[in-house]
Amino acid sequence: MTDSSTPASKKLSFKQQQHQFREDAILDAVNRLLAQKGYDLMTMDEVAAEVGIAKASLYKHFESKEAVAAASMTRFIEEALSMTRDLPDHMKPIDKIKSVVRWAVRVHLSGTMPSLPSTRSSIQQTLLAHEPYVEKLEQLTLLLGEWIGQAQDSGELSPALPGEVILYTIYARSCDPVADFLKNGGAFSDDDIVELLVHTCFEGMVRTPALPGRI
Amino acid sequence: MTDSSTPASKKLSFKQQQHQFREDAILDAVNRLLAQKGYDLMTMDEVAAEVGIAKASLYKHFESKEAVAAASMTRFIEEALSMTRDLPDHMKPIDKIKSVVRWAVRVHLSGTMPSLPSTRSSIQQTLLAHEPYVEKLEQLTLLLGEWIGQAQDSGELSPALPGEVILYTIYARSCDPVADFLKNGGAFSDDDIVELLVHTCFEGMVRTPALPGRI
DNA sequence: GTCTATAAACCGATAGAC
DNA sequence: GTCTATCGGTTTATAGAC
């Protein structure tokens, strides 16, 4: 179904290209709907309507609602992983970590962040049983964990905080509802919101002595 | 329906007491289910089963699922407001604010925090049209806004941060999924989790010069 | 593969007996 | 007010024609 491996040829046939294009369109729609309404409120009728095909056609590409959501989330994690791996080597660990959060908040604001860390979604356990997703997530966690350790060793992140706390906080801030509230308020640009969130995430809200006038 | 005003008598009749008791039991169940699964995944069958009555009886007390959820949320906000108002006057504004967050995280960890700031829940707009809820929420916001301003004036909170950002962050941290992750991890006690969350919320995750050994 | 039409399950809400 | 039984609507998933 999602098998795009064609051993002995670099180019895909026209039919395969069309198939791949259609599947990408489906995943785009799912991604958008997951960001807007979350898994439970998203219906397959909506997905089909947004793609512009019949619902039955949808089930020729993916065998269930859970499967299509898992595929969408997996594609998203792959993007996050590839973005993270592409960060230049010369950056300091703390700046790499901040870049990841910055990227995630920006994606969130653009309305294409599937609601990841919602313990209250019925897809959570399905996702944790979906190996491609878990695998990529573990690789991302490994990479971030390394940088967190380095940043703690160099004193850029607090060594007194358990690594898991920092890791979970980074993941959680990527879907922080504060971004939605501020965007709905309309008083700030997306760039402002990103910087405000990254600041409160890493520096907190207390007065820091080294602060200049603005933030 | 929720009319408990009996003008000329301090005591409620037995029937009224029983009615009130039953309604409290319903709201308790709704509160628990809202915390566990959120509004959309909560079913009226579950609520009825948890209370131990038939679903039709539920509808004698509340006219709809939306109404019963709104009543539960309103009762919760009233508790938060009353807890906030009861904070001793001699406390510094920053400590009052921290106390509110501490209380909220503790409630969250106890499994009785209805999922408030979920922009992706279908009850959000219903709630904002429910006057008793909005009224209490505004009073709470007013109180917190005052303390935030005072804490910024005295330099305990960063004056460079817009007040709305601090306010929204306080609300958001009360339902932070990080608490769930850490609790599921099992490596920390509830007290530990509360302190870790409050710390990252106010002090951030960077190394603060004034830090002693632990946190 | 795509469509229309429909089955099967679930859920919010109600009817009517007691 | 509480119950059982059921309606009406929605949603996931599929059958079958093209």
Side-chain angles (χ1 to χ4, degrees):
Chain A
M1 193 142 307
T2 327
D3 188 8
S4 58
S5 58
T6 322
S9 70
K10 282 186 179 178
K11 267 224 158 187
L12 278 67
S13 74
F14 177 72
K15 276 202 127 176
Q16 283 173 322
Q17 276 193 37
Q18 202 178 24
H19 184 87
Q20 185 66 38
F21 186 80
R22 177 64 54 91
E23 251 182 43
D24 279 344
I26 293 173
L27 291 186
D28 286 342
V30 170
N31 200 293
R32 220 168 14 248
L33 287 170
L34 279 181
Q36 281 173 24
K37 332 181 52 171
Y39 176 77
D40 299 306
L41 261 58
M42 177 187 82
T43 70
M44 294 297 263
D45 288 276
E46 282 173 322
V47 175
E50 184 128 341
V51 180
I53 61 174
K55 184 166 55 169
S57 305
L58 211 53
Y59 280 91
K60 296 285 181 182
H61 288 269
F62 297 94
E63 67 175 351
S64 68
K65 182 184 177 185
E66 289 183 351
V68 75
S72 169
M73 298 286 295
T74 302
R75 195 185 63 166
F76 175 77
I77 281 287
E78 281 168 357
E79 286 169 20
L81 185 56
S82 126
M83 174 268 158
T84 304
R85 284 192 170 134
D86 285 349
L87 287 173
D89 283 335
H90 60 78
M91 282 180 83
K92 285 190 295 183
I94 180 71
D95 290 325
K96 288 183 185 171
I97 297 171
K98 283 190 180 180
S99 294
V100 173
V101 175
R102 230 182 294 269
W103 173 83
V105 175
R106 214 173 284 279
V107 171
H108 183 177
L109 285 170
S110 79
T112 54
M113 167 74 78
S115 51
L116 281 154
S118 144
T119 319
R120 280 138 195 82
S121 180
S122 54
I123 204 190
Q124 205 60 21
Q125 46 181 347
T126 305
L127 219 47
L128 295 180
H130 188 65
E131 287 184 32
Y133 175 81
V134 173
E135 188 188 318
K136 306 291 177 183
L137 185 59
E138 278 175 356
Q139 290 175 18
L140 184 59
T141 294
L142 214 66
L143 210 53
L144 288 175
E146 214 171 297
W147 295 342
I148 290 171
Q150 292 171 1
Q152 285 184 310
D153 288 343
S154 69
E156 289 158 331
L157 283 179
S158 168
L161 280 174
E164 328 157 45
V165 174
I166 297 178
L167 181 72
Y168 293 156
T169 301
I170 290 170
Y171 282 147
R173 288 311 154 265
S174 305
C175 313
D176 200 324
V178 171
D180 298 310
F181 293 151
L182 291 176
K183 188 162 181 109
N184 286 345
F188 302 98
S189 71
D190 281 12
D191 287 343
D192 288 339
I193 296 175
V194 170
E195 290 315 310
L196 285 166
L197 246 89
V198 171
H199 180 83
T200 56
C201 177
F202 289 91
E203 266 76 35
M205 304 190 297
V206 297
R207 177 109 162 128
T208 49
L211 269 187
R214 183 73 178 159
I215 297 186
Chain B
M1 191 140 313
T2 328
D3 188 7
S4 59
S5 57
T6 321
S9 70
K10 281 185 180 178
K11 268 226 159 187
L12 278 67
S13 73
F14 177 72
K15 276 203 127 177
Q16 282 173 324
Q17 277 192 38
Q18 201 177 27
H19 184 88
Q20 184 65 38
F21 185 80
R22 177 64 52 92
E23 252 183 40
D24 279 344
I26 293 173
L27 291 186
D28 286 343
V30 170
N31 200 293
R32 221 169 12 249
L33 287 170
L34 280 181
Q36 279 173 26
K37 333 180 52 171
Y39 176 78
D40 298 306
L41 260 59
M42 176 186 82
T43 70
M44 293 298 263
D45 288 275
E46 283 172 323
V47 175
E50 184 127 342
V51 180
I53 60 175
K55 184 165 59 167
S57 306
L58 213 53
Y59 280 91
K60 297 286 181 182
H61 288 269
F62 299 93
E63 67 176 351
S64 68
K65 183 185 178 184
E66 290 183 350
V68 76
S72 169
M73 298 287 294
T74 302
R75 194 184 64 165
F76 175 77
I77 281 288
E78 280 167 358
E79 283 169 21
L81 186 57
S82 123
M83 174 267 160
T84 304
R85 284 192 170 135
D86 286 348
L87 287 173
D89 284 334
H90 61 77
M91 284 180 83
K92 285 191 295 183
I94 179 71
D95 290 325
K96 288 183 186 172
I97 297 171
K98 283 190 181 180
S99 294
V100 173
V101 175
R102 228 181 293 268
W103 174 83
V105 174
R106 213 171 283 278
V107 171
H108 184 176
L109 286 171
S110 79
T112 54
M113 167 74 77
S115 52
L116 281 154
S118 143
T119 319
R120 280 139 196 83
S121 178
S122 55
I123 205 189
Q124 206 61 22
Q125 46 181 345
T126 304
L127 220 46
L128 295 180
H130 188 65
E131 287 184 34
Y133 175 81
V134 173
E135 188 187 318
K136 306 291 178 184
L137 185 58
E138 280 174 355
Q139 291 175 17
L140 184 59
T141 295
L142 215 66
L143 211 53
L144 288 175
E146 215 171 295
W147 295 342
I148 290 171
Q150 292 171 2
Q152 285 183 310
D153 288 343
S154 68
E156 290 158 330
L157 282 180
S158 168
L161 281 174
E164 326 157 47
V165 174
I166 297 178
L167 181 72
Y168 293 156
T169 302
I170 290 170
Y171 282 147
R173 285 315 152 262
S174 305
C175 313
D176 201 324
V178 171
D180 298 309
F181 293 151
L182 291 177
K183 188 163 182 109
N184 285 345
F188 302 97
S189 71
D190 281 13
D191 287 342
D192 287 339
I193 296 175
V194 170
E195 290 315 311
L196 286 166
L197 247 91
V198 171
H199 180 83
T200 57
C201 176
F202 289 91
E203 267 77 35
M205 303 191 298
V206 296
R207 175 113 164 126
T208 49
L211 269 188
R214 182 71 180 161
I215 297 187

